[in-house]
Amino acid sequence: MSLQPGQAAPQFTLVSSALQTVSLADFKGRKVVLHFFPLAFTGVCTTQLCTMRDSFGYYDGLNATILGISVDSPFSLAKFKEENNYQFDLLSDFNKEVSTAYEAIYADFVMGLKGVSKRAAFVIDEEQNIIYAEVLEKATDLPNFEAIAAVVK
């Protein structure tokens, strides 16, 4: 059964593109918008994160933090962040533990790749409970940005 609103968000600690450890618990008292994406430097993933980049001020003004998560290495994510001027942290789930915990992982992806994050969005409230969950089966689909913004408000 997939994660649903009302459930406690699975806790995690990952390495960021700045080579710092970042834990979900660090953001208790703030809303957190988690964006899982399959792979850095790909078209739809860039669109997903650029949409959040361009809306960053909106979320920051609502006491919400944006975090991007993929199975890419922190070094790849650092370059991806730099090239696209993302203001939020990108976190490396290289070991696939968080994508698995959030049930947002492809066992088999394109080109024979295995264990790649699905495109997904979660909003976690100030008490670390899920208040929005969307896991997409098709990697070419984008999350519902309007629904995410509405639940953060």
Side-chain angles (χ1 to χ4, degrees), residues 80-152:
F80 187 48
K81 178 178 177 168
E82 176 189 340
E83 285 189 8
N84 292 288
N85 298 307
Y86 299 136
Q87 315 94 313
F88 46 87
D89 283 326
L90 300 181
L91 307 179
S92 174
D93 185 23
F94 196 80
N95 295 325
K96 303 163 179 56
E97 294 167 352
V98 178
S99 297
T100 300
Y102 279 79
E103 300 175 30
I105 192 158
Y106 290 110
D108 296 297
F109 195 58
V110 298
M111 300 180 291
L113 298 174
K114 298 186 181 309
V116 173
S117 299
K118 289 183 178 180
R119 191 168 323 285
F122 293 87
V123 179
I124 299 164
D125 70 11
E126 295 85 349
E127 298 303 316
Q128 309 263 284
N129 295 307
I130 296 169
I131 56 174
Y132 180 86
E134 180 181 17
V135 178
L136 300 164
E137 292 303 317
K138 286 180 58 181
T140 54
D141 290 344
L142 286 168
N144 185 337
F145 296 109
E146 290 177 6
I148 294 165
V151 79
V152 171

Side-chain angles (χ1 to χ4, degrees), residues 41-88:
F41 300 103
T42 57
V44 181
C45 296
T46 301
T47 299
Q48 177 184 7
L49 295 184
C50 284
T51 300
M52 295 310 295
R53 174 198 66 201
D54 297 345
S55 302
F56 183 79
Y58 172 81
Y59 289 93
D60 195 44
L62 294 175
N63 194 36
T65 298
I66 300 168
L67 299 171
I69 300 175
S70 82
V71 298
D72 293 293
S73 76
F75 309 105
S76 296
L77 292 173
K79 187 66 173 169
F80 187 48
K81 178 178 177 168
E82 176 189 340
E83 285 189 8
N84 292 288
N85 298 307
Y86 299 136
Q87 315 94 313
F88 46 87

